[in-house]
Amino acid sequence: MATDIRTSSLEKPIDVAEYLFRRLHEVGVRSVHGLPGDYNLVALDYIPKTGLSWVGNCNELNAGYAADGYARVKGIAALVTTFGVGELSAINAIAGAYSEYSPIVHIVGTPSTISMKEGMLLHHTLGNGNFDVFANMNRDISCAMAKLNDPHEAAMLIDNAIRECWVQSRPVYITLPTDMVQKKIEGARLETPIDLSYPTNETEKEDYVVEVVLKYLHEAKNPVILVDACAIRHRVLDEVHELVKQSNLPTFVTPMGKGAVNETLPTFGGVYAGDGSNPGVRERVESSDLILSIGAIKSDFNTAGFTYRVSQLSTIDFHSHYVRVRYSEYPGVRMQGVLKKVIAKMGKLNVKPGPVANNEIPKEDQDMSNDQIISHAWFWPRMGQWLRKDDIVVTETGTANFGIWETRFPEGVIALSQVLWGSIGWSVGACQGAALAAKELGKKRTILFVGDGSFQLTAQELSTMIRRELNPIIFVICNKGYTIERFIHGMDAEYNDIQEWKYKDLLDVFGAKPEDSKTYQVKTKMEVHDLFNDKHFSSAPYIQFVELYMEREDAPIALKLTAEASARTNAKE
């Protein structure tokens, strides 16, 4: 049961909920995703008082996806759900955020400490008096937990949870009982910002690792750089960009690393994903005698079905909590400090040029006659020609995730995908969160590419985008079902089919005003070409929705290769 702190002993008394939301504002959160429930209603009253805005999503799963997208653009996000039914609806999204290193502060409104202590038979419970069961479910997908059951420790728990969320770049779980919301705690702590700095390496150990890295780097005849997702998640892009520019080494990204590197640089060579790599990339990377691998996540879809052919003997791995040189691992040595010193000391290196990425359309796909259907081989490089500096591009698990490998980005593009967790429907919610974050940052365009099957899982978030006056450009790839599943197993199976919707009519269904929205339907290359050349469309003045028709059995080459590998893996005995 919560006990009070004597208000007279507090220098600047403040309610627990206000303290929590002010701390979130301090670290950059401006909008809070989630849904109301009777265990969080009083807490929600504090959101506007603290300079934050309430989003209000259509369901908790979508809200979790949206918070994920928001966090990837703004750096951190907040999600509020209610005990049991609400938090469990969001748990898939939180698991995905944990898997993919996306920092979300998940706040769960719970019954009062008195009710929980007495084991009362309350709604939203399992009826067995166990009020810890849902927290236990969240334990393994949260990097820190804070149960605000006692005002004496509430501020410390809040600060620690938010710090861990930022530093580890993963979700944290905070419970806020109804009788704790208005308890008074010390507000003077707010005068001291939360320390969000990363732990520094032990100097002697760091210097030794730097010397080892430099030894192999100077000996290498044709080294390359390979950048992956954790370089983005653990905020080392400044160091990565400096390394790429100063070294002049051929630089590649993995599928999850798209957007980590300025792809307009002459040293950028494209996407490396084993057999699914861009033309010329696999040969260049796998022939290298030293790969500087930064933030690697070597999952099946990130490696085109584990088709990497790279030896650890020719690899130096840089990670958030260790560096591995060949087979020697140095735990507790963070990559930030090591990379900074390597850049400062590396000097001139042996450089063997690599391939240069581009958005050239393959010759066999260049026919633009009026009846030419849209192919993946044609669309993705053509779309790359249309993208602009600082766009935010969201791609769904499936055809879009793999198609984007064939697109060379302009400078400053932020790419959002969920290659590792791969929950279909994620991108629609993530697009809402990303578009909201973009609006707060003054970024103009957020663009979503999602398959028709995936879109049907989370289509309701169109409503939130309209309600919050966001302006994403949404492309729904209409190809009659679950394409990636077809290529893994069951090309003609009924379970991979879906009901065809009148997708573009949904803006009207969800209440978009005709003067603040527009829909399109494109079925040929020429129609896409004309759409991309439409200046009003490209200016993204309001929400726009495009039905993009492709053949059912067409898919990016990388998807086909990865699906074949996945099928083989699934069939292993």
Side-chain angles (χ1 to χ4, degrees), residues 170-220:
R170 276 180 156 162
V172 294
Y173 179 86
I174 298 176
T175 58
L176 181 58
T178 55
D179 60 339
M180 278 290 296
V181 171
Q182 296 175 310
K183 293 291 185 185
K184 299 295 182 182
I185 59 175
E186 183 55 76
R189 286 179 62 109
L190 293 173
E191 297 171 5
T192 304
I194 299 173
D195 180 10
L196 299 179
S197 61
Y198 291 101
T200 56
N201 295 325
E202 182 184 331
T203 302
E204 186 177 37
K205 194 173 184 180
E206 179 179 86
D207 288 344
Y208 175 77
V209 173
V210 169
E211 291 305 314
V212 174
V213 170
L214 288 172
K215 173 182 180 294
Y216 288 108
L217 185 55
H218 288 139
E219 290 176 356

Side-chain angles (χ1 to χ4, degrees), residues 113-191:
T113 57
I114 298 172
S115 299
M116 292 189 286
K117 182 179 180 181
E118 295 181 355
M120 296 180 67
L121 191 62
L122 299 178
H123 61 287
H124 299 342
T125 71
L126 299 179
N128 59 5
N130 184 352
F131 288 89
D132 293 321
V133 61
F134 307 128
N136 291 338
M137 291 180 185
N138 278 278
R139 189 174 302 279
D140 288 338
I141 54 172
S142 306
C143 70
M145 302 190 78
K147 294 184 177 182
L148 307 183
N149 295 335
D150 185 344
H152 292 85
E153 58 183 16
M156 179 269 294
L157 289 175
I158 290 168
D159 292 356
N160 180 69
I162 294 175
R163 170 175 163 73
E164 291 305 309
C165 183
W166 180 271
V167 171
Q168 296 193 44
S169 193
R170 276 180 156 162
V172 294
Y173 179 86
I174 298 176
T175 58
L176 181 58
T178 55
D179 60 339
M180 278 290 296
V181 171
Q182 296 175 310
K183 293 291 185 185
K184 299 295 182 182
I185 59 175
E186 183 55 76
R189 286 179 62 109
L190 293 173
E191 297 171 5

Side-chain angles (χ1 to χ4, degrees), residues 466 506-514 516-517 543:
I466 295 165
L506 290 176
L507 288 184
D508 183 53
V509 169
F510 288 126
K513 298 176 181 177
D516 293 329
S517 62
I543 188 168

Side-chain angles (χ1 to χ4, degrees), residues 206-344:
E206 179 179 86
D207 288 344
Y208 175 77
V209 173
V210 169
E211 291 305 314
V212 174
V213 170
L214 288 172
K215 173 182 180 294
Y216 288 108
L217 185 55
H218 288 139
E219 290 176 356
K221 302 301 182 186
N222 61 339
V224 300
I225 299 170
L226 180 62
V227 186
D228 208 338
C230 281
I232 304 170
R233 306 293 194 269
H234 294 291
R235 304 178 178 90
V236 294
L237 292 189
D238 288 344
E239 291 82 359
V240 168
H241 293 163
E242 199 63 26
L243 176 65
V244 170
K245 286 191 290 185
Q246 290 200 26
S247 70
N248 284 317
L249 293 177
T251 300
F252 307 89
V253 296
T254 68
M256 291 181 71
K258 281 288 286 181
V261 172
N262 179 359
E263 299 187 6
T264 66
L265 292 175
T267 54
F268 178 71
V271 174
Y272 175 68
D275 289 349
S277 304
N278 294 157
V281 171
R282 182 176 65 82
E283 294 80 5
R284 181 65 184 86
V285 172
E286 293 176 2
S287 66
S288 171
D289 60 351
L290 183 67
I291 299 170
L292 303 180
S293 174
I294 305 174
I297 299 178
K298 297 176 183 177
S299 69
D300 51 356
F301 280 15
N302 204 34
T303 62
F306 302 114
T307 57
Y308 271 25
R309 294 179 183 84
V310 173
S311 171
Q312 187 60 44
L313 282 173
S314 59
T315 303
I316 298 178
D317 288 305
F318 299 88
H319 280 280
S320 60
H321 56 283
Y322 70 89
V323 174
R324 183 187 294 122
V325 182
R326 293 183 163 187
Y327 284 103
S328 298
E329 185 168 314
Y330 303 93
V333 180
R334 300 178 62 87
M335 57 184 164
Q336 280 96 337
V338 173
L339 287 171
K340 286 179 181 178
K341 289 184 177 179
V342 167
I343 293 165

Side-chain angles (χ1 to χ4, degrees), residues 240-469:
V240 168
H241 293 163
E242 199 63 26
L243 176 65
V244 170
K245 286 191 290 185
Q246 290 200 26
S247 70
N248 284 317
L249 293 177
T251 300
F252 307 89
V253 296
T254 68
M256 291 181 71
K258 281 288 286 181
V261 172
N262 179 359
E263 299 187 6
T264 66
L265 292 175
T267 54
F268 178 71
V271 174
Y272 175 68
D275 289 349
S277 304
N278 294 157
V281 171
R282 182 176 65 82
E283 294 80 5
R284 181 65 184 86
V285 172
E286 293 176 2
S287 66
S288 171
D289 60 351
L290 183 67
I291 299 170
L292 303 180
S293 174
I294 305 174
I297 299 178
K298 297 176 183 177
S299 69
D300 51 356
F301 280 15
N302 204 34
T303 62
F306 302 114
T307 57
Y308 271 25
R309 294 179 183 84
V310 173
S311 171
Q312 187 60 44
L313 282 173
S314 59
T315 303
I316 298 178
D317 288 305
F318 299 88
H319 280 280
S320 60
H321 56 283
Y322 70 89
V323 174
R324 183 187 294 122
V325 182
R326 293 183 163 187
Y327 284 103
S328 298
E329 185 168 314
Y330 303 93
V333 180
R334 300 178 62 87
M335 57 184 164
Q336 280 96 337
V338 173
L339 287 171
K340 286 179 181 178
K341 289 184 177 179
V342 167
I343 293 165
K345 296 181 177 183
M346 66 183 174
K348 186 175 176 59
L349 305 174
N350 294 315
V351 178
K352 181 179 178 181
V356 177
N358 57 64
N359 282 317
E360 293 179 4
I361 297 168
K363 289 183 179 180
E364 61 271 21
D365 292 289
Q366 289 180 358
D367 187 354
M368 288 280 292
S369 54
N370 289 334
D371 61 345
Q372 280 293 308
I373 60 174
I374 305 162
S375 66
H376 284 280
W378 177 87
F379 178 77
W380 296 104
R382 177 64 186 89
M383 188 274 293
Q385 299 169 12
W386 170 73
L387 289 179
R388 295 178 177 177
K389 185 178 183 292
D390 296 330
D391 280 345
I392 297 172
V393 179
V394 187
T395 53
E396 176 60 59
T397 296
T399 53
N401 258 356
F402 290 92
I404 205 70
W405 301 7
E406 306 298 327
T407 300
R408 185 188 187 187
F409 288 159
E411 183 181 358
V413 169
I414 298 174
L416 278 65
S417 63
Q418 203 190 47
V419 177
L420 178 55
W421 185 246
S423 182
I424 64 173
W426 167 86
S427 69
V428 183
C431 176
Q432 182 265 295
L436 180 57
K439 184 177 181 180
E440 293 175 3
L441 292 172
K443 292 182 179 291
K444 183 63 177 173
R445 300 202 313 181
T446 301
I447 305 158
L448 168 65
F449 298 95
V450 57
D452 49 7
S454 297
F455 178 78
Q456 290 193 6
L457 273 76
T458 47
Q460 310 98 310
E461 259 349 88
L462 278 180
S463 175
T464 309
M465 298 179 204
I466 295 165
R467 182 185 181 196
R468 295 304 170 198
E469 298 181 345

Side-chain angles (χ1 to χ4, degrees), residues 488-504:
I488 294 174
H489 181 81
M491 179 60 74
D492 298 311
E494 184 179 8
Y495 48 72
N496 285 326
D497 297 334
I498 61 170
Q499 171 64 33
E500 290 190 58
W501 289 2
K502 296 178 180 178
Y503 295 97
K504 64 185 183 66

